[in-house]
Amino acid sequence: MQRTNYGHPAPATSPPLHHPVPQHVSTVPQLRSPPPPAPQHQTSGYGNPYQQQGPQGGGSAFGAYGGFMADPTAQMGFQVGQTALKHGTEYVEQNFNRYVNFSALKHYFNVSNSYVVNKLFLVLFPWRHKPWSRKQTIGPSGQEGWFLPPRDDLNSPDMYIPLMALVTYILLSTMMAGLQGAFNPELLGYTATYAFFVVGIEILLLKFGCYLLSISNDSQLLDLVAYSGYKFVGVIATILVSEISNGGKGTGGWIGWTIFSYTFLANALFLLRSLKYVLLPENSNDERGTMQTVARSQKSRRTQFLFLYSYPLQLLFMWILTRI
């Protein structure tokens, strides 16, 4: 037996203590689908007023919309709206057809890419073009003298080129003003009003001359509107070349005047040859529809009017449009 320093016997050594080591058993929970929701019993009107109710008719917005369309009142309103829209469209078409014949207007926009290119070349270089007479065929109702559309006849007037040339002229004039530091948003409206005013005055003068000379034609007005717009092709060419040659300082200089003189003469010859069948018809109809030959004196006055319109008037109009 061992003793301590103090003479007392040492206590017996106790065995070491062992703590139990916890063993973790990993268990995988079994996946099960959640139980179906309990059926909601319809509560009375004294239930919770703030409880959100789901959409009826399938639980979606489409179901609600389908339920709305299934309502006889909604179907009746939808049919009434369709009927009102149909009658409104017919009313607008009838009132517009009093002033503009849309079926005849489609004829002037029946163009192709090759026609547009060849027509622009003809307006700018009409010197050696032959023949100038328009091609005719038999109409859908068997009538004679039915003119072919522009797609099939280069000498036929169209409204696609005059309309595009007018829009290009308005944008080009505004762009040139911007390059010179004088751009103003109101300039677009001013230029458009100015161009439409010039064309309107020209058409009024033409109609007044046709009235004095007893010239009548079913498609006369639309033809005159189309031919009055071809001058913008020469005006655009004059503005572009003049601005480039003059360094963006406006139209002027000997190059600008040379281009203006050429485009004016080209446009005058083009109108002189093209308007011959409109202003100088070989025959005319009286009130009873009888064909009568135009007298020589009447034809001479019409020739003078055509020359006056093609040269002096076009010179004035083109000069005004290039000075804007």
Side-chain angles (χ1 to χ4, degrees):
M1 177 180 297
Q2 297 179 356
R3 295 179 181 269
T4 60
N5 297 332
Y6 301 101
H8 297 286
T13 304
S14 60
L17 298 177
H18 297 278
H19 298 280
V21 179
Q23 297 180 359
H24 301 279
V25 180
S26 60
T27 58
V28 179
Q30 185 177 3
L31 300 178
R32 296 179 180 179
S33 57
Q40 298 179 357
H41 299 283
Q42 185 176 3
T43 59
S44 62
Y46 296 96
N48 185 7
Y50 300 100
Q51 184 177 2
Q52 184 177 3
Q53 302 293 334
Q56 301 295 327
S60 62
F62 179 77
Y65 177 76
F68 172 76
M69 292 303 298
D71 189 3
T73 305
Q75 291 181 356
M76 182 181 301
F78 183 72
Q79 293 177 358
V80 171
Q82 281 187 331
T83 305
L85 180 62
K86 179 180 179 181
H87 287 292
T89 304
E90 293 177 353
Y91 175 79
V92 172
E93 290 180 354
Q94 291 176 359
N95 283 271
F96 272 101
N97 284 333
R98 294 178 181 178
Y99 306 99
V100 180
N101 189 352
F102 285 98
S103 60
L105 194 61
K106 293 179 181 179
H107 172 87
Y108 294 87
F109 287 93
N110 187 8
V111 299
S112 61
N113 294 333
S114 59
Y115 167 82
V116 172
V117 174
N118 293 330
K119 192 73 170 188
L120 290 175
F121 186 83
L122 175 60
V123 173
L124 294 176
F125 307 98
W127 315 108
R128 302 184 64 179
H129 175 73
K130 287 182 180 180
W132 290 91
S133 59
R134 296 182 59 180
K135 299 179 181 179
Q136 298 183 2
T137 184
I138 300 178
S141 302
Q143 67 273 27
E144 298 181 356
W146 185 270
F147 291 118
L148 291 177
R151 177 187 294 270
D152 301 322
D153 185 11
L154 183 61
N155 295 324
S156 177
D158 71 283
M159 290 191 181
Y160 177 80
I161 293 178
L163 181 60
M164 292 297 103
L166 175 61
V167 175
T168 304
Y169 167 76
I170 296 172
L171 297 178
L172 181 62
S173 300
T174 308
M175 185 184 69
M176 292 303 175
L179 293 177
Q180 298 173 11
F183 175 76
N184 191 341
E186 298 179 355
L187 190 60
L188 283 171
Y190 170 75
T191 307
T193 304
Y194 192 81
F196 279 112
F197 177 76
V198 171
V199 174
I201 293 297
E202 178 180 355
I203 294 175
L204 288 177
L205 291 176
L206 276 174
K207 289 295 294 181
F208 182 70
C210 293
Y211 173 77
L212 294 179
L213 298 175
S214 302
I215 302 174
S216 60
N217 193 342
D218 294 337
S219 61
Q220 180 191 83
L221 178 59
L222 295 178
D223 288 346
L224 296 179
V225 171
Y227 282 117
S228 64
Y230 285 112
K231 70 171 64 64
F232 287 99
V233 177
V235 170
I236 292 172
T238 302
I239 294 176
L240 280 176
V241 177
S242 299
E243 291 289 340
I244 294 174
S245 62
N246 203 21
K249 298 180 180 180
T251 56
W254 67 270
I255 297 180
W257 284 111
T258 302
I259 297 298
F260 173 79
S261 301
Y262 174 82
T263 55
F264 155 68
L265 293 175
N267 181 71
L269 180 61
F270 170 78
L271 293 178
L272 187 66
R273 299 299 186 185
S274 299
L275 284 175
K276 182 179 179 180
Y277 79 96
V278 178
L279 302 180
L280 299 175
E282 295 295 334
N283 300 311
S284 61
N285 297 332
D286 58 6
E287 297 179 354
R288 296 173 296 179
T290 306
M291 299 295 294
Q292 294 183 351
T293 304
V294 179
R296 179 173 300 181
S297 59
Q298 186 78 353
K299 188 174 182 179
S300 177
R301 288 194 295 268
R302 293 180 180 183
T303 303
Q304 295 174 3
F305 174 72
L306 178 58
F307 179 85
L308 179 66
Y309 167 74
S310 300
Y311 284 91
L313 285 181
Q314 291 302 312
L315 177 63
L316 175 63
F317 291 142
M318 292 185 67
W319 181 81
I320 292 176
L321 293 173
T322 54
R323 297 299 102 186
I324 189 173

